[in-house]
Amino acid sequence: MLHSVLAYINSHLDENISLDELAKVTGYSPYHLHRKLKEELQEPIGGFIVRQRMQTAAYLLCLTELPVSEIGLLVGYENDSAFSRAFKSTMGATPKAFRKQQDVHSKDLQQAQYVSLKCEVVRLPEQQAIVFPSIGNYFSRDIYKVWDKVKSFIESENLTPADFIFMGVLHDCQNVNPQSLCRYDAAIICKKDTKLNVNKNFITTLPGGKFAKYRFCCPVTEYANIGGLINSHLQHEAHQKHAYGISYFRFQTLPTHDTADNLFIEWFIPIN
């Protein structure tokens, strides 16, 4: 029972989590669940949820470059001031001050993770992109080696990562397993209206369409577990069918082989 409650809480931190919702997960009545959780956790469930939100926020503050306000939203706070007060009360420093001390905290947070099982159905337009093709294992950090070529290309054009949108293009996302070698493209979309020195064979149109969007952040070694969790939610909770077609990982920053762990990713899964 406790495991299912903790799993639900940690995958819904960006939502309002009520005792009634937790009761549905466990099959207990809200009254009996409240008593049982207090016995197990040695604290009220409300206080435990706040602590989980703040510990996850600490992970995102130290190991990503996400704005503080966005991190607040990811752990369930729409108001910046309320998030800052709650964080300082739990962690002893404001979010901005805590981030400045990330060298002190980062080592303890390396194996943490974030996943949101809030399924958002979106439509993506077709987009023209420069692609750097590769083949590899989606569950290995070696798949990110192709992004080192992207980094070199951007530098050769005298541009910066801030001038681009970064998309990992997963061509073989359905029925993949940890041993599969699959096609993977690093795709970049330039935000500037500027002429780039690139072979036209590497310019393509990324297909648009209807997608389910999920968000996660974790070490690469957890991709298989997170992927299974999200695909299960897509089918059984969101009642959507994973369609054949390209999936996308949209990154907040330029990924590289050295920085592959703990990237914040928006995963766009094609659906019918």
Side-chain angles (χ1 to χ4, degrees):
M1 182 275 294
L2 184 60
H3 175 76
S4 61
V5 168
L6 297 183
Y8 182 89
I9 290 171
N10 286 324
S11 58
H12 293 81
L13 292 175
D14 55 347
E15 302 176 49
N16 180 43
I17 302 172
S18 68
L19 189 61
D20 287 342
E21 285 296 325
L22 295 178
K24 290 178 185 177
V25 172
T26 62
Y28 284 81
S29 71
Y31 173 76
H32 284 97
L33 179 63
H34 177 75
R35 291 186 60 188
K36 193 164 185 64
L37 286 176
K38 192 170 183 179
E39 288 176 10
E40 294 274 357
L41 299 172
Q42 296 297 301
E43 65 177 316
I45 185 62
F48 176 80
I49 291 172
V50 169
R51 189 154 52 83
Q52 292 300 104
R53 293 187 197 275
M54 296 306 107
Q55 289 176 349
T56 302
Y59 161 64
L60 295 171
L61 283 165
C62 286
L63 297 178
T64 76
E65 298 178 12
L66 293 168
V68 170
S69 58
E70 187 170 346
I71 290 173
L73 290 171
L74 291 173
V75 296
Y77 286 81
E78 295 185 0
N79 182 281
D80 291 353
S81 297
F83 170 55
S84 185
R85 286 195 302 271
F87 190 88
K88 185 175 182 180
S89 176
T90 304
M91 307 303 293
T94 65
K96 290 182 179 179
F98 191 89
R99 173 169 266 174
K100 289 178 181 178
Q101 303 164 358
Q102 61 180 281
D103 290 343
V104 177
H105 305 294
S106 294
K107 187 175 180 181
D108 296 331
L109 297 167
Q110 286 292 335
Q111 295 306 310
Q113 64 183 39
Y114 173 87
V115 60
S116 169
L117 292 183
K118 180 191 287 185
C119 175
E120 183 181 350
V121 176
V122 299
R123 286 197 173 273
L124 294 182
E126 292 184 344
Q127 298 181 89
Q128 190 174 77
I130 302 168
V131 295
F132 297 74
S134 71
I135 293 177
N137 185 327
Y138 290 163
F139 304 111
S140 167
R141 65 183 300 117
D142 286 345
I143 200 75
Y144 284 95
K145 286 182 177 179
V146 67
W147 287 100
D148 295 339
K149 297 179 182 178
V150 174
K151 182 181 179 183
S152 297
F153 170 77
I154 292 173
E155 291 171 351
S156 72
E157 295 292 320
N158 294 317
L159 294 170
T160 70
D163 297 319
F164 293 88
I165 296 169
F166 304 104
M167 307 279 280
V169 185
L170 290 70
H171 290 264
D172 305 305
C173 211
Q174 275 208 333
N175 304 317
V176 69
N177 64 64
Q179 287 74 46
S180 301
L181 292 179
C182 304
R183 181 179 168 188
Y184 176 91
D185 296 341
I188 59 174
I189 301 164
C190 189
K191 300 176 186 177
K192 288 186 171 182
D193 184 16
T194 184
K195 185 173 177 61
L196 300 174
N197 183 28
V198 60
N199 188 311
K200 66 179 182 180
N201 292 326
F202 293 99
I203 299 175
T204 191
T205 299
L206 301 179
K210 187 178 179 183
F211 294 83
K213 184 177 81 170
Y214 288 89
R215 297 173 295 184
F216 70 93
C217 182
C218 66
V220 177
T221 53
E222 291 299 311
Y223 277 14
N225 292 333
I226 294 291
L229 185 67
I230 288 174
N231 274 301
S232 176
H233 183 272
L234 179 73
Q235 179 180 353
H236 300 295
E237 303 297 329
H239 305 294
Q240 300 285 351
K241 185 176 180 181
H242 189 154
Y244 284 97
I246 290 173
S247 293
Y248 298 112
F249 279 5
R250 184 162 67 192
F251 302 100
Q252 296 288 319
T253 56
L254 170 63
T256 64
H257 181 253
D258 290 339
T259 63
D261 285 328
N262 302 303
L263 292 165
F264 185 79
I265 295 170
E266 293 176 312
W267 185 11
F268 295 88
I269 303 170
I271 56 176
N272 294 323

